[in-house]
Amino acid sequence: MRALVAAAIGLAAALALVLAVTAFGAPEGKTSPKPLLTTAPAAPGK
Amino acid sequence: MRRRASLVLLALAVFCAALAPLLRWYAYPRLAKIPPGQYQEMVLEAKDATLLDYAGGMQPKKVDKVTIVQTLKGNVEASREVEADAGKDVVVWDTLTYIIGPDGKMVSRIPERYLFDAHTQDPVHATGEMVDGDPVKREGIEFKWPFFTEPRDYLYFDAQTRTSSPIHYVGPRTYRGMEVYCFEQTVPWTKVPMPKKMPIEGIDPATIEQTTGTTLWYTVKARFWVDPVTGAPVNAEQDIQQEMRGGIAAGAPDGRLTAFAGHVTIRPDYAKYTFDLVASNRTKVLALHTYAPAGLAAAGLALLAAALWLEARGRRREDGVSA
C-alpha cells in the first residue's frame, strides 16, 4: 500500500511539473525595436 | 529507516520514468517553436559580380562586390492578431532584402511578410502576406525548414518568382563538424515582376513594362546546408542571374541586358555567427527532445533498481531477526 502511495506521489509530481511548464510556455517577447537594415553592419549584432 | 528510503527512491523512480515520455511526447511538441519576436540579420556578398550600371549608359559592368543585407523581424502584435483567428501559434516575419552596390547605393530592396505555423513551419495565410507589396499565397517553406528536417524534397518558396517549386535533398554533408543536410533548388529562367524600388531616375518600375516593353527575367541555382535538428540553414550559396529583355534592352546583343549575375555567399563573420547560433539552439532542442527524456528514463530505471535492492535487503534483515 505504501509503495502504491509513493508511486502515485511520483506520478502526480511529474504530471504537475509538465503541465505547469507547458501552461506557462516560452515567453512571447516583444517586437524588436531594431530597424530592418539598409546598411551592412560591420560585424554581427553591431 | 531503509523502508522509508526505498519508498522515497520508488517515488523518485516513478517521477523520472513518467517525466521522460511526458517531456518527449507532451511538452516537446508544445514548447519547441519559433519565438514570435525573433530578430535576425544576415549579410551576403557576391564578389566579382556583374551589375547593370543604371547611371552610366545602362550597360552591365564588372564590380568588386554586391552586398545583400537581409533582416528578419518577428512582429509580435501581428502574430497575436493572426493567432486569434487561426487558433494556433503563428509567427509573422517582416523581412527586408536590401541590395547594395559597390558605391554603397541601393540597387534594389524587397520587403516581405511571411506567416507560418510556429511549430511546423507550414505557411499560414492572412491579409498582409506579401512580397514587395504584391499579395502572395505561399506554399511550402521559406527561410527555414521544420524541426527534425527529413531527408526528402520540400516545396520551397522563391520570393522573386512568387512561386514554390521543389527543393531537392542532395545528401548529408559535414559543415564545421556538424552533420547537416544539403538541399538544392534550380529555378529556370522566369519572367518576374520589376522591383518596386529601382535605381533608375525618371522611370517608374510599376509602369516600365507597359511604357517601354522591358521585362525582367531571373534564374537561380540555390544550395542550402540545413541543420536537421532545428531546421535552420547554417550555410547558403546562390548563383543568381537577372536580365532585362526587350524595351530598353532591345539594343543589346540578343535583346538581353544582364541586370545582375553573381555567386552569392554568406559573409564569413555572419557564417560563423549563424553557425554558433544554430549550434546553441540545436543543443536546446536536443535537450528537450532526446537528452532529458533518455536521461530521465535511465535515472528512473536506476532509482527503481536501488529502491528494490534496498527493500529486498531490508526484508532479508527482518527475516533474519524473526528467525
Side-chain angles (χ1 to χ4, degrees):
Chain A
M1 185 63 192
R2 284 192 298 173
L4 270 179
V5 171
I9 289 170
L11 185 61
L15 276 170
L17 180 65
V18 165
L19 289 175
V21 168
T22 51
F24 282 114
E28 201 173 51
K30 291 190 290 186
T31 302
S32 171
K34 293 186 202 169
L36 296 170
L37 300 179
T38 55
T39 53
K46 295 288 167 76
Chain B
M1 186 64 194
R2 281 206 176 87
R3 280 288 172 84
R4 185 171 294 171
S6 71
L7 288 173
V8 171
L9 285 177
L10 177 64
L12 285 172
V14 173
F15 174 78
C16 291
L19 200 53
L22 282 170
L23 265 188
R24 170 66 187 81
W25 285 289
Y26 185 84
Y28 168 77
R30 286 161 179 79
L31 295 176
K33 63 177 184 177
I34 306 296
Q38 192 173 358
Y39 180 93
Q40 202 172 330
E41 65 201 36
M42 173 73 76
V43 177
L44 304 107
E45 292 177 336
K47 290 188 173 154
D48 301 322
T50 302
L51 191 64
L52 187 62
D53 188 357
Y54 293 95
M58 291 293 282
Q59 286 301 313
K61 72 171 188 182
K62 278 276 178 193
V63 296
D64 293 341
K65 187 174 71 178
V66 172
T67 305
I68 301 164
V69 183
Q70 201 170 55
T71 324
L72 307 175
K73 181 166 159 172
N75 188 325
V76 178
E77 292 76 24
S79 287
R80 277 198 208 111
E81 283 178 26
V82 178
E83 280 171 358
D85 290 335
K88 56 184 174 184
D89 292 330
V90 175
V91 174
V92 177
W93 274 352
D94 289 326
T95 79
L96 180 66
T97 304
Y98 197 87
I99 301 150
I100 305 165
D103 54 0
K105 290 183 179 166
M106 187 267 290
V107 173
S108 180
R109 64 189 298 280
I110 301 176
E112 288 183 61
R113 175 166 279 195
Y114 174 39
L115 301 89
F116 58 95
D117 185 301
H119 299 277
T120 65
Q121 274 83 85
D122 288 336
V124 171
H125 306 299
T127 307
E129 184 183 7
M130 62 91 178
V131 175
D132 202 15
D134 298 332
V136 293
K137 200 170 178 181
R138 288 174 175 81
E139 284 183 86
I141 53 174
E142 190 184 2
F143 298 113
K144 188 193 170 296
W145 274 251
F147 292 107
F148 290 93
T149 302
E150 296 170 27
R152 63 170 174 87
D153 297 355
Y154 283 84
L155 259 187
Y156 193 88
F157 181 80
D158 182 275
Q160 292 274 345
T161 62
R162 275 67 153 168
T163 58
S164 301
S165 59
I167 187 159
H168 300 292
Y169 173 68
V170 178
R173 298 283 185 275
T174 302
Y175 178 76
R176 294 177 186 240
M178 182 189 283
E179 293 297 314
V180 297
Y181 290 164
C182 183
F183 291 89
E184 193 171 287
Q185 184 190 47
T186 300
V187 176
W189 280 108
T190 307
K191 186 183 160 198
V192 295
M194 292 279 179
K196 300 285 190 299
K197 295 264 183 179
M198 289 175 74
I200 317 176
E201 292 293 328
I203 297 178
D204 179 3
T207 58
I208 187 172
E209 185 173 347
Q210 291 90 329
T211 54
T212 68
T214 310
T215 53
L216 184 64
W217 292 71
Y218 156 92
T219 182
V220 66
K221 183 175 183 182
R223 280 172 298 277
F224 295 93
W225 286 261
V226 176
D227 165 34
V229 174
T230 59
V234 289
N235 191 25
E237 286 181 10
Q238 290 174 300
D239 291 305
I240 301 174
Q241 292 183 70
Q242 271 189 329
E243 284 182 358
M244 288 192 177
R245 297 183 186 177
I248 58 175
D254 304 326
R256 297 172 168 200
L257 268 180
T258 299
F260 174 79
H263 179 67
V264 179
T265 57
I266 300 177
R267 203 171 77 183
D269 55 346
Y270 272 90
K272 183 182 182 309
Y273 171 74
T274 304
F275 178 81
D276 291 344
L277 183 68
V278 172
S280 160
N281 289 336
R282 176 188 170 99
T283 306
K284 288 177 197 162
V285 172
L286 281 176
L288 190 58
H289 179 274
T290 309
Y291 301 152
L296 283 165
L301 281 174
L303 286 164
L304 181 65
L308 290 174
W309 176 76
L310 214 57
E311 179 68 18
R313 207 173 136 177
R315 286 190 183 187
R316 271 203 304 273
R317 289 210 167 188
E318 279 175 15
D319 290 348
V321 169
S322 62

